[in-house]
Amino acid sequence: MKQKLIFLLFLFPVLAAAQYDISGVVKDANGYLVANTSIQLNHTKYGQRVVSNEAGIYVLKNLPAGTYTLEITSGDFMGFEQVIVKNAPLRFDIQLKNDKDYELDEVAIQGESLKTKIEKKGFAVNIVNTEEASQRNIQTNELLNTTVGVKIRQNGGLGSNVEYSLNGLSGSAVRIFIDGIPISTFGSSFNLNSIPPSLIEQIEVYKGVVPGYLADDALGGAINIVLDKTANTHLNASASYGSFNTFQASVNGLYRFEDSGFTVKASGFHNYSDNDYKVSGRSVVVAGLGGVQTPITARRFNDAYRSTGGMVQLGFTNVNWADQFFVGFTGSDDYKEVQHGAFMTIRPYKGRFLESDATLANLTYQKQNLFIEGLDLNLNGYYGKRNRQVNDTVAAAYSWAGERAIDFRGDEFEYLWGSQQEGGPTLAKIKRNVASIRTGLSYAVNDNHRFLLNHVYSGIDREDSDELVSLLENTFIGTRDLHKNIYSFTYEFNAFDDKLEASLFGKHYQQKSVSVDPALTTDANGDSQVVDEVVSSNKTYEGYGFALSYAILPELTLLTSAEKAIRLPNETEIFGNDGDNVVANSSINPEQSNNYNLGFRFGSFNIKKHQFTVSTNIFTRNIKDRIGLPIENSSNIDDELIVYVNQGSGTSKGIDTQLNYSYDRNFGFNFNVSKFDLKIENRGSQVDVPNTPFLTMNGSLRYSFKDFIQKDARLNLFYTLYYTDEFSYLVPQGSNTVGDEFFKVPEQLQQDFGLSYSFPKNNLVMSFDVKNIFDRPVFDNLSVQKPGRAFYLKLNYTINKF
C-alpha cells in the first residue's frame, strides 16, 4: 500500500473523490439580482472565493459532501450562511438584507470570517484586506505601513529601495513572498509597489514565528502576498496621476470557458515618476567660493523611475483533476536614476542610473482531495533570467542646485576617477539564471488532525561583466552561484470543540554557495595559464517552533508562539551589488534568533450597531550574529559604499497593541502602537541599534455617506495618521554628546486624507488622495528624505461579464 501511494503521488491526477457544486443567485431585499458580490467558502480543509456575475450567478466548484460556511460581502453588507452539501449538487440562493434590518450581532453567531480564523491560530499574525485600498491611490507598501508592528523603511520616493521592519527586525530578516514564492525571484522591477492592491486578495503578516507552509529562512517574520484567485470572468482597469509627474496604471482580467474550465488570466502594470520633490537638511547645500556651504531647499533632479510588467497564464480552473492549473510567462523591466549613494551626500549624482529586466516562466498546480479525501497538493514554480546594469560614465560634478559644482576657486570641476561614484566609469552588468519552486503536501486525517510537508528551493547562477573594461579583464571576472533548500514538517491539531488549536513544526535549512574566480598562474614550465579558484560552502541548520491558541471565553483568546529561527545570508550580502552600492562579504555568517510571542485577542464584541476588537502581543527576539550595516560613527557617515556584516548578538523586546472599532458600518476607527527596544553588543557594551525607530503609532478614520448624489452611490472619507518617534542613525560617541543632535532624526507626524466616490453598481470608483497634508519632513533610512505633500487622482473600473 505504501509503494502504491508513493507511485500515485507522482502521477498526474485523473481521479477524485465524489464532488459537487454549490450554485445560486444573489438578490437584494427587493428581489433584484446583485452583481459583484463576494462569496468566500470558509472551511478547515477547503477554501474558495468567487464573485457573482452580472446576472447575479455564483458557482462554488468541486466540493465533497459536508457542512460549509459562506462569508458574503457586497458593498458594506457582510453576512454568513451555513449550507450542507449531501450527495448531490446544491442550489442555494442568497438574499441580502436591507441596511436597516441588518445588525452585526445577528451574524456574529453564524460564523467567523477567514481573516478572524487565521488571526486566531496562535501566530502573531495580521491579515490585511485590500478591497477598499484597491479603489484608492494607495500603494501596497502604504497599506502595510498602517499594520501594527510593521514599519516600511524607504530610501526616497517611488521606486527607491525598500526594507520592511517587523518588531525591529528588518532587511532580509523579513521575507516577502508572492503566493509563497520569494519576491527576490522576480527582480527589482516586480516589487510590492508595482503590484496594485486590485490584484491582491489579502496580505498575511507573520511576526517572529512563521508557519511551516511558508518554509523559508525568515528570521524576523514574513509578509505573504496572496494574489486574487477568483475564477469568475472579470476585467479591472485603473489609472492615476499626481504630484511629481507620477502616473500609474494597471489592468487585470480573467476569462473562463464554463464548459471546459479553460481559463486565461492576464495582468499588467506601468509606473512612472520624476520623483522631483523638495529636500533639505545638513547635506543639501551649495558650495561657493572658498568652499563656503550655503544650505538650500532643492528639488531632486536625477531620481526618475519607470517600471513596466505583466503576466499571462493559460490553464484550467475548478475541473475534476485540478482546482488551479496554469502555465504562464512573467516579464518586467525598470529604469531608475540614482541621486546619491547610501547617504544624502553634499554632491549628488547626475547621470548614474540602473536598468533591470526579468523574464520568467511559471507553473501553478493546486488540488484538494487528491486521490483521497483530505490529501491536498500545491505546486508553484518559476524559472527564468534576471539582468541588471549600472550605467555610470559621467565625470562632471554637480551640486544640489542641479548645476555644475565649483571648487573653492569658482571653477567647474570633474571627478578624477571619471564617474559619479568612486571606482571609475562602469557599465557593470549582472546576469542571473533564477529558479524558485515551492511544493506543499498536506493530509487531514479528520477535522482535528492534519499533517503538512513543505519544501522550497531557490537558486541563483550569477555572472558579472563590465562593457567598459577590456576583454582580458572581463575574462577574469568570476561567477557566483547560490542554492538554498528548506524543508518543513508540521502537525496541526485542535481539541475541546475547537477551543484549542496548535501547530508544531520543524525546519531543515541547507545553503550552498560557490564563487569561481579566474586567476593567472605559472605552471612548472614557467608558462602562464588561467585557472579557476573555487571557494564553496555547504552548510545545514535546524529550526523548530510551535503556535498555540486557546479560547478562554468566546470573546477572549490566548495566543502564544515560539521559534528557533535561522536566516541565511542572501546573494547581495555575500556577493555584493554595485547597483545598490553594496560591497561583497563572503565571510558573513547566518543570523539566528529565538523568537517568542504572547498575546490576547479580545472580541469581536457586538453591541447593537457597535463592533470592536482589541488585540495585543508581547514579544522577545534573542538574536545571535545579527546581520546589518556596520554600527555607524561620524567618520563613515558620508561613505558612498556599504557592506553587510555580523553586528553581534542582541535582544529585541516590546509590545504591540491594536484597536478596531466600527459603528453601523458607516464609521470605522482603528489605532495601533508598537513599542520596543533593540540592543546589541558593541565594543563590550549594550547599545541601541542605530537607524531604528523604537516607537511607532498609526491611526485611521473612515466615514461613508450612502446614496450620495445618486441612489446606491457612496462617498467614503478617509484620514490616516503615522507617528514615528525620534531616533538616531549613530550610536552614542562616548560620554561627550556634543553634536549628537546633528545625527538625530526628529519625531515625525505624517497625515493623509482621501475620498472615494463609488458610482451605482460599484463598477466605477473615483478617488482623490492628499499625502502628507501639512508637508512635514519625513525620513526613514539613514536620514534620506521622502516626498512631502502630494496630490493624486485615480479612476478604477470593473466589469464582471463580457
Side-chain angles (χ1 to χ4, degrees):
M1 178 65 185
K2 181 178 179 181
Q3 292 177 336
K4 183 178 180 181
L5 179 60
I6 294 174
F7 174 73
L8 288 173
L9 289 177
F10 286 91
L11 288 179
F12 200 75
V14 294
L15 300 173
Q19 296 176 331
Y20 311 97
D21 296 347
I22 303 174
S23 62
V25 296
V26 182
K27 299 180 180 180
D28 63 15
N30 297 316
Y32 293 105
L33 298 173
V34 181
N36 204 29
T37 296
S38 170
I39 298 96
Q40 171 78 51
L41 181 81
N42 290 337
H43 191 272
T44 55
K45 298 180 185 176
Y46 320 108
Q48 289 186 42
R49 176 178 172 268
V50 297
V51 177
S52 61
N53 63 20
E54 287 291 332
I57 299 172
Y58 78 95
V59 182
L60 295 164
K61 294 274 190 178
N62 301 329
L63 297 168
T67 301
Y68 302 94
T69 298
L70 304 183
E71 178 184 337
I72 304 153
T73 307
S74 180
D76 287 322
F77 175 87
M78 186 178 76
F80 297 88
E81 296 287 354
Q82 190 175 82
V83 296
I84 300 175
V85 177
K86 298 181 180 179
N87 295 322
L90 175 66
R91 169 68 184 261
F92 184 81
D93 293 340
I94 297 172
Q95 183 88 36
L96 305 180
K97 299 181 181 180
N98 277 323
D99 289 343
K100 61 184 179 181
D101 296 332
Y102 169 78
E103 291 186 1
L104 286 172
D105 57 355
E106 294 181 9
V107 301
I109 61 173
Q110 297 182 19
E112 292 181 330
S113 69
L114 182 62
K115 174 181 184 296
T116 301
K117 284 181 176 290
I118 296 175
E119 292 182 342
K120 283 188 173 183
K121 282 185 173 294
F123 295 93
V125 57
N126 292 99
I127 305 299
V128 183
N129 292 324
T130 62
E131 181 178 358
E132 183 180 275
S134 66
Q135 300 175 349
R136 298 179 56 204
N137 199 80
I138 295 179
Q139 305 300 318
T140 304
N141 280 333
E142 293 178 276
L143 197 60
L144 281 168
N145 208 28
T146 63
T147 305
V148 61
V150 180
K151 179 64 178 174
I152 306 299
R153 314 294 306 282
Q154 186 161 342
N155 279 351
L158 186 67
S160 59
N161 185 54
V162 177
E163 288 191 352
Y164 301 84
S165 175
L166 298 182
N167 294 148
L169 300 186
S170 60
S172 294
V174 177
R175 294 301 191 197
I176 314 296
F177 303 97
I178 299 177
D179 283 336
I181 293 293
I183 198 170
S184 58
T185 304
F186 300 88
S188 61
S189 53
F190 204 92
N191 55 53
L192 294 196
N193 272 344
S194 299
I195 306 173
S198 60
L199 284 176
I200 300 172
E201 180 177 328
Q202 66 185 26
I203 305 174
E204 304 168 349
V205 181
Y206 289 93
K207 289 170 282 189
V209 181
V210 179
Y213 87 91
L214 280 177
D216 208 339
D217 55 330
L219 183 93
I223 298 172
N224 186 34
I225 307 298
V226 181
L227 297 181
D228 191 353
K229 298 178 180 60
T230 303
N232 295 73
T233 296
H234 68 275
L235 177 69
N236 175 268
S238 67
S240 71
Y241 182 79
S243 299
F244 321 122
N245 194 28
T246 300
F247 174 76
Q248 295 182 276
S250 69
V251 61
N252 67 86
L254 179 146
Y255 191 87
R256 184 177 188 273
F257 295 85
E258 293 297 330
D259 292 338
S260 64
F262 182 72
T263 306
V264 180
K265 291 175 66 175
S267 62
F269 63 84
H270 177 76
N271 303 297
Y272 177 83
S273 180
D274 288 337
N275 283 324
D276 57 344
Y277 58 91
K278 293 181 179 180
V279 292
S280 59
R282 74 177 190 90
S283 299
V284 184
V285 299
V286 172
L289 293 175
V292 177
Q293 296 181 354
T294 304
I296 64 170
T297 296
R299 283 194 176 274
R300 296 172 75 95
F301 53 85
N302 186 57
D303 202 25
Y305 172 72
R306 173 193 51 78
S307 67
T308 305
M311 178 185 294
V312 177
Q313 292 179 300
L314 305 176
F316 294 86
T317 56
N318 298 331
V319 291
N320 287 334
W321 52 272
D323 300 328
Q324 299 258 340
F325 172 76
F326 286 106
V327 292
F329 169 82
T330 299
S332 62
D333 72 86
D334 68 352
Y335 166 84
K336 178 69 176 75
E337 295 175 347
V338 182
Q339 183 73 93
H340 49 73
F343 299 85
M344 288 181 65
T345 47
I346 292 174
R347 302 211 185 279
Y349 300 157
K350 187 173 184 179
R352 180 179 172 91
F353 61 90
L354 312 174
E355 293 180 294
S356 306
D357 64 78
T359 54
L360 301 165
N362 60 71
L363 169 69
T364 300
Y365 180 78
Q366 297 179 6
K367 183 68 180 79
Q368 295 178 337
N369 297 315
L370 176 68
F371 306 122
I372 58 175
E373 184 175 349
L375 182 64
D376 301 340
L377 175 66
N378 289 274
L379 176 65
N380 202 354
Y382 286 81
Y383 176 78
K385 297 180 179 295
R386 280 177 24 216
N387 301 308
R388 194 180 199 197
Q389 179 167 297
V390 181
N391 190 313
D392 191 347
T393 60
V394 177
Y398 288 84
S399 73
W400 276 104
E403 302 170 347
R404 289 288 301 271
I406 60 174
D407 59 23
F408 69 96
R409 299 185 188 90
D411 299 327
E412 293 181 352
F413 71 94
E414 296 186 351
Y415 296 118
L416 296 177
W417 47 85
S419 60
Q420 298 294 290
Q421 182 178 294
E422 295 181 17
T426 182
L427 289 175
K429 189 169 187 178
I430 300 176
K431 296 181 179 179
R432 299 177 176 92
N433 292 323
V434 298
S436 185
I437 303 172
R438 177 176 293 278
T439 306
L441 190 66
S442 69
Y443 178 66
V445 180
N446 51 44
D447 288 342
N448 301 99
H449 302 275
R450 186 182 183 210
F451 297 92
L452 300 94
L453 180 63
N454 292 272
H455 167 248
V456 62
Y457 164 79
S458 298
I460 298 174
D461 296 334
R462 168 175 157 175
E463 181 179 338
D464 296 22
S465 63
D466 193 329
E467 295 180 22
L468 293 188
V469 302
S470 66
L471 177 61
L472 179 62
E473 288 177 289
N474 272 320
T475 301
F476 285 87
I477 295 178
T479 60
R480 307 287 183 260
D481 299 340
L482 190 67
H483 302 275
K484 179 171 64 177
N485 285 282
I486 299 176
Y487 304 85
S488 72
F489 179 76
T490 305
Y491 168 55
E492 296 179 347
F493 71 91
N494 58 72
F496 310 120
D497 295 327
D498 293 336
K499 290 183 179 180
L500 174 67
E501 294 187 57
S503 175
L504 309 175
F505 56 86
K507 299 179 182 179
H508 174 78
Y509 307 84
Q510 181 261 334
Q511 185 178 50
K512 181 179 181 180
S513 63
V514 180
S515 299
V516 180
D517 291 297
L520 190 64
T521 62
T522 303
D523 61 18
N525 299 322
D527 298 325
S528 298
Q529 62 178 1
V530 177
V531 298
D532 288 336
E533 294 182 349
V534 180
V535 177
S536 64
S537 172
N538 191 354
K539 298 181 179 180
T540 61
Y541 300 88
E542 310 296 333
Y544 46 84
F546 76 90
L548 182 146
S549 69
Y550 185 77
I552 302 172
L553 299 171
E555 295 83 14
L556 175 60
T557 305
L558 168 70
L559 309 166
T560 183
S561 58
E563 181 180 6
K564 177 190 176 184
I566 309 292
R567 207 274 278 182
L568 306 169
N570 64 27
E571 175 205 359
T572 297
E573 292 161 345
I574 298 174
F575 303 136
N577 190 316
D578 289 341
D580 292 329
N581 297 59
V582 181
V583 179
N585 182 2
S586 59
S587 62
I588 194 168
N589 293 320
E591 187 175 3
Q592 302 183 44
S593 180
N594 294 322
N595 300 334
Y596 305 94
N597 296 304
L598 176 63
F600 292 89
R601 178 186 172 95
F602 303 89
S604 297
F605 295 97
N606 303 291
I607 305 172
K608 298 293 184 180
K609 297 181 179 181
H610 304 268
Q611 183 189 47
F612 65 93
T613 303
V614 179
S615 59
T616 185
N617 181 57
I618 302 170
F619 60 87
T620 298
R621 316 280 185 253
N622 298 323
I623 311 160
K624 177 184 177 183
D625 290 331
R626 183 180 190 267
I627 297 175
L629 300 179
I631 302 297
E632 302 295 348
N633 57 59
S634 57
S635 65
N636 66 356
I637 202 66
D638 287 322
D639 288 350
E640 292 182 346
L641 302 177
I642 58 176
V643 61
Y644 287 94
V645 300
N646 293 112
Q647 296 175 332
S649 299
T651 303
S652 176
K653 299 178 181 179
I655 184 172
D656 293 337
T657 301
Q658 179 170 261
L659 166 66
N660 294 313
Y661 168 79
S662 64
Y663 174 76
D664 197 24
R665 293 170 296 126
N666 285 338
F667 175 76
F669 166 75
N670 68 70
F671 174 80
N672 64 69
V673 57
S674 180
K675 177 72 172 71
F676 66 93
D677 62 63
L678 176 56
K679 297 185 180 296
I680 200 159
E681 294 182 7
N682 183 48
R683 297 171 187 159
S685 61
Q686 292 272 339
V687 298
D688 290 332
V689 172
N691 195 36
T692 302
F694 299 114
L695 173 63
T696 59
M697 290 185 286
N698 302 306
S700 65
L701 297 171
R702 176 187 63 85
Y703 192 81
S704 299
F705 296 90
K706 302 176 184 177
D707 300 324
F708 189 83
I709 301 180
Q710 306 175 76
K711 181 175 175 55
D712 296 326
R714 181 176 292 273
L715 175 68
N716 299 300
L717 303 179
F718 305 92
Y719 168 81
T720 307
L721 175 148
Y722 308 88
Y723 173 82
T724 303
D725 197 16
E726 175 186 86
F727 65 97
S728 174
Y729 50 89
L730 287 180
V731 297
Q733 305 295 296
S735 59
N736 183 8
T737 60
V738 176
D740 280 3
E741 67 279 357
F742 198 60
F743 302 104
K744 287 188 180 297
V745 177
E747 66 177 4
Q748 304 168 61
L749 183 66
Q750 178 181 338
Q751 301 172 71
D752 298 346
F753 172 77
L755 60 87
S756 68
Y757 184 75
S758 301
F759 290 83
K761 295 186 179 180
N762 282 327
N763 284 350
L764 178 63
V765 179
M766 180 175 64
S767 66
F768 177 73
D769 286 89
V770 185
K771 307 293 178 66
N772 198 352
I773 303 171
F774 298 105
D775 201 24
R776 297 290 180 85
V778 287
F779 308 87
D780 269 339
N781 291 321
L782 306 169
S783 198
V784 176
Q785 191 169 344
K786 299 197 296 183
R789 182 166 48 232
F791 304 88
Y792 300 95
L793 179 67
K794 180 177 183 179
L795 294 176
N796 190 91
Y797 184 71
T798 303
I799 57 176
N800 291 297
K801 184 178 182 181
F802 299 121

